[in-house]
């Protein structure tokens, strides 16, 4: 189990963050999560029902007001998308000043079961996209929405490698995996829409991989741990 969790969010995704925190509180009650966000997001979460501050130990870094009103397309156009994405690394840096390890999760991830497959003998945990080679070459082998580490140097290197990455914060994770000993989260983690349309198996097969056993949601023969929703995408 991770010692802590962390995430970033602006008001564009605050409803998604509510789902992350609520589901985290169900499966990891009283866990510590560090959130870098804008003022509006913190206000919404603090006024939410149920009171998530009673279910989780939340620490806030309100440092993203600059990005509050901007969509991804606007940030790409203004050439600040990678800068914004590297707030992931920055929240990890701040978290690792306090915690011995942390799992970064994008704010649009929903937790479906206890996350208990972290290999603490490694320094890095990465999440393959499980998509075709064509799109791996374009966007990277690993997904930038889920990254675990116990090494303070990992997020520092992530920032550096992203400066020359072929695809924002994502393809640069391949460079991290070359430098650090790592484990991979399995197919039952971080199930996202790209896997359904660009996956290594046909869409129909990917759908069939999601099944119910003993009243629990599975991916193939393992319990489905979390899904990466992209609910805000059209």
């Amino acid at each position: 189990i991770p010692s802590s969790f962390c995430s970033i969010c602006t008001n564009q995704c605050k409803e998604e963050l509510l789902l992350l925190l609520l589901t985290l509180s169900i499966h990891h009650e009283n866990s510590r999560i560090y959130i870098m966000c804008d003022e509006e997001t913190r206000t919404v979460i603090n006024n939410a029902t149920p009171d998530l501050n009673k279910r989780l130990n939340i620490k806030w870094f309100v440092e993203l007001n600059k990005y509050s009103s901007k969509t991804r397309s606007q940030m790409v156009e203004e050439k600040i998308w990678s800068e914004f994405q590297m707030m992931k690394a920055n929240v990890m840096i701040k978290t690792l000043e306090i915690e011995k390890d942390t799992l970064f999760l994008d704010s649009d991830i929903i937790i479906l079961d206890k996350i208990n497959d972290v290999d603490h003998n490694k320094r890095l945990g990465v999440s393959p996209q499980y998509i075709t080679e064509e799109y791996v070459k374009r966007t990277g082998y690993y997904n930038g929405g889920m990254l675990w580490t116990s090494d303070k140097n990992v997020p520092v290197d992530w920032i550096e490698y992203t400066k020359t990455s072929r695809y924002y914060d994502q393809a640069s994770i391949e460079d991290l995996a070359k430098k650090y000993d790592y484990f991979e989260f399995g197919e039952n983690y971080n199930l996202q829409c790209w896997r359904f349309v660009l996956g290594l198996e046909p869409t129909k097969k990917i759908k069939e991989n999601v099944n119910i056993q003993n009243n629990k949601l599975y991916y193939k023969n393992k319990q489905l741990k979390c899904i990466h929703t992209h609910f805000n995408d059209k």
Side-chain angles (χ1 to χ4, degrees):
I1 294 172
S3 298
S4 67
F5 301 86
C6 60
S7 189
I8 65 170
C9 189
T10 64
N11 64 349
Q12 303 282 318
C13 301
K14 58 187 180 294
E15 293 86 1
E16 295 176 327
L17 179 63
L18 274 168
L19 283 173
L20 170 63
L21 294 176
L22 182 58
T23 55
L24 184 67
S25 77
I26 291 169
H27 300 289
H28 289 270
E29 189 175 4
N30 297 321
S31 59
R32 296 183 295 281
I33 181 165
Y34 298 77
I35 302 170
M36 187 172 285
C37 64
D38 55 8
E39 191 60 57
E40 185 175 341
T41 297
R42 180 173 67 171
T43 299
V44 166
I45 301 298
N46 282 338
N47 291 328
T49 304
D51 186 347
L52 291 161
N53 287 289
K54 289 182 178 177
R55 302 169 65 106
L56 294 166
N57 293 309
I58 304 175
K59 181 168 178 60
W60 302 97
F61 304 113
V62 182
E63 299 181 14
L64 302 185
N65 288 333
K66 170 184 175 180
Y67 311 97
S68 285
S69 60
K70 297 182 188 295
T71 64
R72 172 172 178 164
S73 57
Q74 286 173 321
M75 285 193 264
V76 169
E77 193 174 320
E78 294 176 28
K79 295 184 169 50
I80 58 170
W81 178 247
S82 282
E83 172 189 297
F84 173 68
Q85 289 301 93
M86 280 301 92
M87 296 303 156
K88 297 177 180 184
N90 285 328
V91 75
M92 293 181 86
I93 289 169
K94 287 177 176 288
T95 302
L96 291 168
E97 289 173 358
I98 305 164
E99 303 287 348
K100 63 180 182 180
D101 66 80
T102 193
L103 176 62
F104 175 85
L105 295 171
D106 269 356
S107 59
D108 58 346
I109 285 177
I110 292 176
I111 311 298
L112 300 175
D113 188 46
K114 189 175 286 293
I115 294 174
N116 54 7
D117 292 295
V118 170
D119 183 353
H120 287 274
N121 293 314
K122 309 290 187 184
R123 290 184 291 166
L124 176 67
V126 289
S127 178
Q129 300 204 79
Y130 300 105
I131 58 175
T132 61
E133 185 63 26
E134 176 190 354
Y135 287 93
V136 164
K137 286 178 180 175
R138 287 194 206 176
T139 67
Y141 187 80
Y142 300 107
N143 179 249
M146 187 172 188
L147 190 82
W148 174 89
T149 190
S150 59
D151 192 317
K152 293 180 179 180
N153 294 311
V154 164
V156 176
D157 282 337
W158 196 10
I159 292 171
E160 192 59 34
Y161 294 150
T162 297
K163 292 175 183 177
T164 53
S165 170
R166 70 182 183 278
Y167 193 80
Y168 308 117
D169 62 303
Q170 204 155 260
S172 51
I173 297 173
E174 295 169 5
D175 296 315
L176 293 176
K178 288 173 185 171
K179 180 172 180 178
Y180 296 93
D181 51 326
Y182 68 94
F183 71 90
E184 293 183 351
F185 289 100
E187 290 178 289
N188 59 323
Y189 279 87
N190 201 16
L191 178 60
Q192 57 168 325
C193 44
W194 272 18
R195 206 190 304 180
F196 283 91
V197 292
L198 308 174
L200 297 171
E201 299 172 290
T203 298
K204 183 175 183 293
K205 178 64 178 154
I206 301 285
K207 285 179 171 181
E208 291 169 355
N209 289 339
V210 181
N211 64 91
I212 296 171
Q213 301 175 37
N214 304 318
N215 259 357
K216 292 182 178 177
L217 204 55
Y218 276 68
Y219 190 84
K220 295 184 178 178
N221 61 347
K222 292 184 177 179
Q223 235 178 297
L224 187 53
K225 298 290 188 173
C226 55
I227 55 174
H228 197 155
T229 64
H230 289 266
F231 278 143
N232 280 345
D233 284 357
K234 291 178 181 177

